[in-house]
Amino acid sequence: MTDYDKDRSLAPMEAAGDTGSQNPQGSISDPLAAVTGAIGDDPTLAELIAFRDSSPDLKRFAIEAKRCEDEAERLWFRLSEGNHVKMARISLKIVALSCTAMVAIWPVDTVEDADAKKAAAKATAFHGDNTDYGQAPSLDAETAERIRLHRAAFAVGELIVPTGPAAPAAADRGLATWPLSRFDLVDTVPLEGGDASIAGQQLMRWSAFVDDYPSLSDLVDRFARMIATADRLMVLAGTTSEDPRPLRRAAEGARLLAYLAAARAAIWPAMEHSADAQAKHRLVALVNERACRGDALHQQAAIRHLISEANWIAKQFRLGATLELVPMWLPVV
């Protein structure tokens, strides 16, 4: 019923794939860094167009996001074993949220992309997002805002998505595995709960992931530079006497690079009063400024959603010493 096996192993894949995994003996890499690392801070028009025209497998990112998040929750019951288990759990959550960011930020180019977004939205939905009609509504304003941002981050435009699989006919068999939707993470990822899958050397490799800490200041600088590039290309596209489509496509590529850099800066934790903390505050200001621009709504909503979700990582990284952001966002939804 699915093209994907229910592989519970979290060892990196043998070949560097769409999620940035490396060989089984190598280190575990940041998925967003793997996707964007080949593009420098001063890309050519051709590089931006090629990046926008690439076709990442968003279904694979959605699968990896759920696998890592589920495994992080399984490790909760082993935290007493030492700090390396705690760091492995944080690493899994960073990778999970990074893969989720990729699904949310990348535009819908194909039906498969739309399926991945809808599946990821379902897997990460907030409690209260779909209250039964028999229950009285009881949302507070903060949760309601988070639900709206979550919906906007994964919005695909339902009119472009085909209907789900046909219901079984009277003579059909295989009802126990009949697909419930076009792409369902429950059918592709082992069920939540149970014992942790990683241990020993693999646990240490996941623990070491957080040692490769990115410079959040550099990431925020990259966001600002790529956004400026996208804005300038859009102006040029509106004034050129030649075909404006390559300029617009390159602008989309630059904007994608900007928001993926912003996602990394949003997800990774920062210590209070550090340069990284200052970078996070600057990111909030820059993202707020984009509320009046023509950036895609799902990209603006995605960063707001990620900053909120990253607070859970910050709490677990070093409680009381790690920055937790509660921005006053300009409304976009």
Side-chain angles (χ1 to χ4, degrees), residues 4 17-19 31-32 35 51-52 54-66 96 98-121 153-156 183 185 188-189 256 260 298-299:
Y4 299 100
D18 287 331
T19 57
L32 297 181
V35 170
F51 181 74
R52 178 60 187 90
S54 61
S55 301
D57 186 350
L58 297 190
K59 285 186 176 181
R60 174 53 63 183
F61 277 99
I63 289 171
E64 292 301 310
K66 191 172 191 308
S98 297
C99 289
T100 299
M102 185 67 185
V103 176
I105 291 171
W106 200 269
V108 176
D109 292 324
T110 66
V111 171
E112 285 71 24
D113 293 341
D115 289 341
K117 285 176 179 281
K118 289 171 72 70
F154 293 98
V156 299
F183 175 64
L185 289 173
T188 57
V189 178
L256 267 174
L260 291 174
H298 73 273
Q299 293 173 343

Side-chain angles (χ1 to χ4, degrees), residues 217 220 270-271 273-283 323:
S217 295
V220 176
M271 304 307 295
H273 313 300
S274 66
D276 287 328
Q278 294 174 12
K280 278 183 171 280
H281 284 296
R282 186 158 61 95
L283 175 66
L323 177 68

Side-chain angles (χ1 to χ4, degrees), residues 94-179:
I94 289 174
V95 172
L97 195 53
S98 297
C99 289
T100 299
M102 185 67 185
V103 176
I105 291 171
W106 200 269
V108 176
D109 292 324
T110 66
V111 171
E112 285 71 24
D113 293 341
D115 289 341
K117 285 176 179 281
K118 289 171 72 70
K122 180 180 178 181
T124 58
F126 290 104
H127 177 70
D129 184 17
N130 189 20
T131 303
D132 186 84
Y133 75 94
Q135 291 181 273
S138 57
L139 285 180
D140 59 89
E142 180 183 352
T143 304
E145 180 184 37
R146 293 179 67 191
I147 288 174
R148 291 197 306 273
L149 289 173
H150 177 270
R151 289 174 178 172
F154 293 98
V156 299
E158 285 75 3
L159 293 179
I160 68 170
V161 182
T163 57
D172 282 332
R173 301 187 187 279
L175 303 182
T177 56
W178 198 271

Side-chain angles (χ1 to χ4, degrees), residues 37-332:
I39 309 295
D41 289 337
D42 187 20
T44 65
L45 205 65
E47 288 175 329
L48 291 174
I49 294 173
F51 181 74
R52 178 60 187 90
D53 288 343
S54 61
S55 301
D57 186 350
L58 297 190
K59 285 186 176 181
R60 174 53 63 183
F61 277 99
I63 289 171
E64 292 301 310
K66 191 172 191 308
R67 284 207 310 159
C68 290
E69 179 63 28
D70 289 351
E71 188 67 11
E73 291 307 308
R74 295 184 189 107
L75 283 180
W76 173 261
F77 301 100
R78 295 177 54 187
L79 292 180
S80 60
E81 296 179 20
N83 189 64
H84 68 290
V85 178
K86 172 185 172 182
M87 290 298 105
R89 186 170 187 265
I90 290 171
S91 297
L92 284 160
K93 283 189 167 289
I94 289 174
V95 172
L97 195 53
S98 297
C99 289
T100 299
M102 185 67 185
V103 176
I105 291 171
W106 200 269
V108 176
D109 292 324
T110 66
V111 171
E112 285 71 24
D113 293 341
D115 289 341
K117 285 176 179 281
K118 289 171 72 70
K122 180 180 178 181
T124 58
F126 290 104
H127 177 70
D129 184 17
N130 189 20
T131 303
D132 186 84
Y133 75 94
Q135 291 181 273
S138 57
L139 285 180
D140 59 89
E142 180 183 352
T143 304
E145 180 184 37
R146 293 179 67 191
I147 288 174
R148 291 197 306 273
L149 289 173
H150 177 270
R151 289 174 178 172
F154 293 98
V156 299
E158 285 75 3
L159 293 179
I160 68 170
V161 182
T163 57
D172 282 332
R173 301 187 187 279
L175 303 182
T177 56
W178 198 271
L180 302 178
S181 64
R182 289 172 48 82
F183 175 64
D184 193 333
L185 289 173
V186 174
D187 291 336
T188 57
V189 178
L191 298 179
E192 298 176 18
D195 296 330
S197 300
I198 61 174
Q201 182 181 1
Q202 197 177 9
L203 191 64
M204 298 304 296
R205 290 171 62 221
W206 275 101
S207 176
F209 172 79
V210 291
D211 294 337
D212 190 16
Y213 193 91
S215 167
L216 303 193
S217 295
D218 289 348
L219 289 171
V220 176
D221 288 344
R222 182 176 172 90
F223 172 73
R225 185 179 184 89
M226 290 300 169
I227 280 294
T229 300
D231 288 348
R232 189 164 292 259
L233 288 174
M234 288 302 293
V235 173
L236 290 171
T239 58
T240 183
S241 59
E242 301 176 3
D243 184 359
R245 287 175 295 180
L247 291 171
R248 290 181 181 139
R249 194 67 170 173
E252 290 179 16
R255 197 174 292 117
L256 267 174
L257 287 166
Y259 276 95
L260 291 174
R264 292 187 69 202
I267 292 168
W268 281 84
M271 304 307 295
E272 288 273 19
H273 313 300
S274 66
D276 287 328
Q278 294 174 12
K280 278 183 171 280
H281 284 296
R282 186 158 61 95
L283 175 66
V284 169
L286 290 171
V287 171
N288 250 342
E289 290 176 3
R290 303 308 297 178
C292 64
R293 307 296 182 184
D295 300 0
L297 173 60
H298 73 273
Q299 293 173 343
Q300 295 196 50
I303 300 303
R304 288 163 164 78
H305 169 68
L306 292 170
I307 286 176
S308 174
E309 290 298 290
N311 280 339
W312 295 105
I313 295 174
K315 291 176 189 293
Q316 297 164 45
F317 188 71
R318 197 169 298 173
L319 182 63
T322 316
L323 177 68
E324 296 177 36
L325 287 173
V326 186
M328 295 294 292
W329 292 117
L330 293 176
V332 292

